[in-house]
Amino acid sequence: MWKDLFVQRKYATLKVTKKNDFIKDENVSTDNIDVDMFTKCPSCGEILINMDLDKNLKVCLKCNHHFRIGSKERIDITFDKDSIEYFDTNMKSLNPLGFPGYSEKLKSLSKSLGINEAVVTGRGKIEGIDVCFGVMEPNFIMGSMGSVVGEKLSRMFERAIEMKLPVIVFCASGGARMQEGMLSLSQMAKVSAAVKKHSNKGLLYISVITDPTTGGVTASFASLGDIIIAEPKATIGFAGRRVIEQTIKQKLPLEFQTSEFMLEHGFIDMIADRNKMKETLHNILKIHMGVKGNE
Amino acid sequence: MNDVDIKIKEIDEKIKKIKDFMNSSGIDLSGEIESLNQKKNELIKSLNPKSPWEIVQIARQKSRPNYEDYINGIIDSFIEFHGDRSFRDDAAIVGGIGFIDKFPVTFISHAKGKNIEENVKRNFGSPHPEGYRKALRLMKQAEKFKRPVVCFIDTSGAYCGVGAEERGQGEAIARNLLEMSDLKTPIISVVIGEGGSGGALALGVADRVFMLENAIYSVISPEGCASILLKDSGRANEAANYLKLTSRDLLELKVIDGIIKEPSGGAHNDAELTAKNVKSVLIDALNELTKMDVNDLVEKRYDKIRSIGVFLE
């Protein structure tokens, strides 16, 4: 019995750094592994091969966690290839309040992300059906809405009125952009007014809410779609979770302010997985055009 | 530009140079910057007798006139109406009908209390979604009966709580913005105290937006801004400078249409006189707006909202 305890077992030692502690195979040396090949799912911890993850539209193959994606990827997976015409690509933010650090932030972000602002607008096709669109960029100052985001979206709605086209907006935003003060807050009214004008013409507006959509964007165009669709488990809310917890001095349950919570409380029409989104949008558009089946 | 403006600009340039030097050399000169900033603030003060932070304090004065003072001072035969017809009556918003001079109006206001009992009842003027839905119901009623709508804004913000989220705070505010943008009757909004973010804007989409001289209107509270961007809520004073939340700043940025004068020291020094000043501005605006064709009115309102923003193309 005691003897067993002292039996020398054979162990393989692994050189595992904290960043890539996913290497389990003892025959693989960690030195030659390209860390950029793998991503750890923040929800279930599964180690995913990036190629597989990309093929699955950045959705975890194990737990269906929807990773945040940028505007470029969103456009690629939603609209028909080569169908896109972009609007107002040269519009840029200024620093109208002289807010410290803002100009520098704008400059470095447009350089690193290759886009000028937190929304990309344009016109494109979904399975051959023409729509105008806005896709927010969650990586650009948290997708926050300043003058440019408000102006680009409003112009896009106005162009959709001229062209008599439906609008689809993919929302992802932390809300109004603090660095532009009241000018940012006013954009909520501006875009909402444009939504109303578009709506008055009998045109369809679909709002697609993705993670995260909060604050001034929830309190304006994100909540104003004729049809509102959300990706699974996206954070959707008005006030920030921490702010509420501080106000009520209680911890909030995990499911608070998620897509599922919003569906239950009647504020969105449906939840659609990313790999079904294009099909869902296409089906809705077809019914609105009175096109049945594959005509 | 006057002399002081030029001096401020020079200081800004100096600060920028020092910052560039700091970045390239790695030498810490933040003390220098701080003293320059101090100089700058003093210059700003000499231009504007009160600093933004001082104005924030006046706007939040407990004794500052509230909805009740204005109803008493401005509106004849006021009758209050209650409820959103869906969930409950939210006492953080007061609404009803009455006369301003010869004009029958629908009056809607955030309602801050003046003592703790009233503030508990009125949730310190922070509405839940049903408050905004009550406001919208009364606005739609005003549209039906062709009454102008007068909204008074006085809230630190829409309430942040579980019930508010469950009942769709975001949706309620959004719906007001959308409906107010083409409500077929004149809308006038006046920021009387604090205009806190989306919860204020939900009563602020209007043909004319006025601010009392010492009122504030901001995308976020100075404390909130300081804690997020400056990582220190104690620097609210500084954040108040950056946010451009005073009536003068917002007139310059074309967010508002006019400033209503307050008695010296602030509205709390003479509520009656303040109400009188507000009333005369409202009567002028009502005279002008009620004469307009309603379709023109709505179109002009759209153009006005549409034109706010600063960008480069």
Side-chain angles (χ1 to χ4, degrees), chain B residues 41 106 114 132 187 192 195 204 213 237 262 264 276 279-280 294 302:
Chain B
N41 284 340
T106 290
K114 281 195 178 164
Y132 294 112
I187 309 176
I192 57 171
E213 197 181 343
N237 177 344
E262 290 184 28
S264 75
K276 220 170 127 191
K279 188 173 180 177
S280 97
V294 82
Y302 183 83

Side-chain angles (χ1 to χ4, degrees), chain A residues 191-208:
Chain A
V191 182
S192 301
V195 170
K196 178 67 171 165
K197 212 166 205 192
H198 182 257
S199 175
N200 285 349
K201 301 285 177 197
L203 296 165
L204 170 68
Y205 164 37
I206 304 174
S207 157
V208 182

Side-chain angles (χ1 to χ4, degrees), chain B residues 4-134:
Chain B
V4 181
D5 278 333
I6 291 166
K7 273 187 199 154
I8 290 172
K9 215 177 154 199
E10 279 170 1
I11 292 179
D12 277 334
E13 275 162 14
K14 246 187 221 166
I15 292 175
K16 201 181 163 274
K17 267 186 202 154
I18 295 178
K19 272 188 184 157
D20 288 346
F21 178 69
M22 261 170 75
N23 286 337
S24 59
S25 65
I27 299 168
D28 186 6
L29 294 169
S30 50
E32 282 292 325
I33 292 179
E34 183 137 22
S35 74
L36 279 171
N37 267 328
Q38 225 161 18
K39 223 186 212 169
K40 186 178 145 189
N41 284 340
E42 268 162 28
L43 283 170
I44 292 172
K45 237 183 183 170
S46 74
L47 270 181
N48 185 342
K50 292 186 204 90
S51 75
W53 184 240
E54 282 168 321
I55 293 176
V56 170
Q57 306 313 316
I58 298 177
R60 290 175 178 170
Q61 267 277 354
K62 278 206 181 77
S63 55
R64 192 170 170 85
N66 68 354
Y67 73 100
E68 211 175 3
D69 296 299
Y70 292 107
I71 289 174
N72 292 335
I74 294 174
I75 303 183
D76 302 323
S77 337
F78 182 71
I79 303 170
E80 187 180 352
F81 296 147
H82 294 276
D84 68 339
R85 301 292 190 270
S86 169
F87 184 70
R88 66 163 191 149
D89 183 48
D90 186 347
I93 285 186
V94 162
I97 56 173
F99 283 100
I100 295 180
D101 199 32
K102 61 177 182 184
F103 300 99
V105 299
T106 290
F107 175 83
I108 299 164
S109 179
H110 292 108
K112 276 192 189 175
K114 281 195 178 164
N115 53 51
I116 196 76
E117 290 81 26
E118 202 194 352
N119 265 325
V120 167
K121 177 183 161 201
R122 301 202 178 275
N123 200 30
F124 296 83
S126 286
H128 282 74
E130 49 273 20
Y132 294 112
R133 292 184 181 123
K134 168 166 77 175

Side-chain angles (χ1 to χ4, degrees), chain A residues 92 155 158 190 200 239 257, chain B residues 165 302 306 308 312-313:
Chain A
K92 280 183 185 168
R155 285 191 191 178
E158 287 169 347
K190 179 152 128 185
N200 285 349
Q257 291 186 320
Chain B
E165 295 290 321
Y302 183 83
R306 192 63 191 75
I308 302 177
L312 186 76
E313 217 171 352

Side-chain angles (χ1 to χ4, degrees), chain A residues 6 134 180 207:
Chain A
F6 295 97
E180 288 185 34
S207 157

